[in-house]
């Protein structure tokens, strides 16, 4: 074999070997591609699963926070309701104590001295006293009056009545005399029915017959009563 022929054979062998390596690399690359795709798919699946787990955990946290918010809102609403109830109670107590002005339907009772007795030299036969006023006030409160004023002076649960014939002293205020106007705000029909009841105010009814004591009742759709004014507490000095 000549040297030239040997060189040709060697060259062919080298080319064949190189071609084989190239073909082997291509075949290997083609064989690895599906495996890589599977790996990428599996990685994506794991990522999706991790995201779903994270989202599920976030949803649980959000649900827990919503539960806490609902609980706090319910607690705040309960406190608000309790606060409003207390405010309403305070308002009712203030109104009952006469500390605030009130208005609404009610009645006005007018009390006046009895007529003169013919043989008494023109003198009045009967003078209104504090017990007459107190009887009417007590009756009106018993019939649900929300507020009462006597001659525009507000009456409270602690109001004291005193005086002598012809004079009515409320608390420590100045003496009041006939005519006496008693205004009451509340259930108008109920108070009117009680005042018209012949069995109520028996003493006043008797004096109406005996001494022509004057008592009239007038209903009103809207009366206004002032609040109690403590500045009116002027010490009353009885005559010596």
């Amino acid at each position: 074999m000549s040297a030239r022929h040997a060189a040709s054979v060697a060259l062919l062998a080298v080319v064949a070997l190189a071609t084989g390596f190239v073909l082997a690399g291509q075949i290997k690359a083609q064989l690895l591609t599906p495996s890589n795709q599977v790996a990428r798919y599996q990685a994506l699946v794991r990522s999706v699963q991790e995201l779903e787990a994270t989202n599920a955990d976030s949803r649980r946290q959000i649900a827990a926070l919503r539960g806490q918010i609902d609980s706090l809102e319910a607690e705040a609403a309960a406190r608000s309701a309790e606060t409003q109830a207390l405010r309403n109670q305070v308002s009712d107590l203030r109104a009952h104590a006469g500390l605030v002005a009130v208005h609404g339907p009610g009645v006005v009772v007018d009390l006046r001295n009895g007529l003169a007795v013919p043989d008494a030299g023109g003198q009045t036969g009967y003078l209104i006293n504090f017990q007459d006023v107190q009887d009417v006030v007590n009756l009106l409160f018993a019939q649900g009056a929300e507020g009462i004023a006597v001659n525009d002076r507000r009456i409270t649960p602690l109001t004291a009545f005193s005086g002598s014939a012809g004079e009515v002293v409320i608390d420590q205020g100045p003496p009041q005399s006939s005519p006496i106007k008693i205004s009451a705000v509340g259930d108008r029909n109920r108070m009117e029915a009680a005042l018209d009841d012949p069995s109520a105010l028996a003493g006043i009814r008797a004096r109406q017959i005996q001494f022509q004591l004057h008592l009239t009742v007038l209903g009103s759709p809207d009366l206004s009563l002032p609040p109690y004014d403590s500045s009116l507490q002027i010490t009353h000095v009885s005559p010596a």
Side-chain angles (χ1 to χ4, degrees):
M1 180 181 295
S2 64
R4 185 176 180 180
H5 181 71
S8 298
V9 172
L11 179 61
L12 289 173
V14 171
V15 171
L17 183 61
T19 302
F21 278 120
V22 171
L23 291 174
Q26 291 179 350
I27 292 171
K28 184 177 180 181
Q30 291 176 356
L31 291 175
L32 289 176
T33 299
S35 176
N36 290 338
Q37 290 178 350
V38 171
R40 286 197 297 271
Y41 175 76
Q42 291 176 345
L44 288 173
V45 169
R46 285 193 297 271
S47 297
V48 171
Q49 291 174 343
E50 290 175 356
L51 288 174
E52 288 180 347
T54 302
N55 289 339
D57 185 58
S58 297
R59 285 193 293 270
R60 284 192 294 270
Q61 292 180 4
I62 291 172
L65 290 174
R66 285 177 177 173
Q68 294 178 9
I69 292 172
D70 291 342
S71 177
L72 290 173
E73 287 180 344
E75 185 178 351
R79 289 180 179 177
S80 178
E82 291 176 359
T83 301
Q84 187 60 45
L86 289 174
R87 287 177 178 172
N88 292 339
Q89 290 179 9
V90 171
S91 296
D92 291 342
L93 289 173
R94 286 175 59 84
H96 184 65
L99 300 179
V100 294
V102 295
H103 72 90
V107 296
V108 177
V109 179
D110 186 60
L111 282 175
R112 296 175 183 268
N113 293 331
L115 299 178
V117 178
D119 58 354
Q123 295 183 353
T124 302
Y126 181 82
L127 301 177
I128 293 294
N129 61 44
F130 74 93
Q131 291 177 325
D132 299 323
V133 177
Q134 191 170 28
D135 287 345
V136 174
V137 169
N138 290 341
L139 176 65
L140 293 173
F141 271 132
Q143 298 304 316
E146 299 173 9
I148 297 177
V150 176
N151 284 359
D152 295 325
R153 179 179 176 86
R154 188 70 176 272
I155 303 301
T156 75
L158 300 179
T159 294
F161 293 90
S162 61
S164 57
E167 287 188 351
V168 177
V169 178
I170 302 172
D171 294 326
Q172 299 298 317
Q176 309 279 337
S177 59
S178 176
I180 301 292
K181 182 181 73 172
I182 304 171
S183 304
V185 170
D187 189 332
R188 173 182 171 182
N189 294 332
R190 183 179 172 186
M191 291 187 291
E192 285 182 328
L195 291 168
D196 290 338
D197 184 357
S199 64
L201 303 174
I204 292 179
R205 304 290 184 199
R207 289 187 286 276
Q208 278 185 295
I209 297 173
Q210 184 176 1
F211 302 109
Q212 289 75 51
L213 176 69
H214 184 79
L215 183 149
T216 58
V217 178
L218 179 64
S220 174
D222 190 21
L223 290 175
S224 295
L225 304 182
Y228 177 73
D229 186 358
S230 60
S231 66
L232 295 178
Q233 289 188 348
I234 303 172
T235 302
H236 174 62
V237 180
S238 300

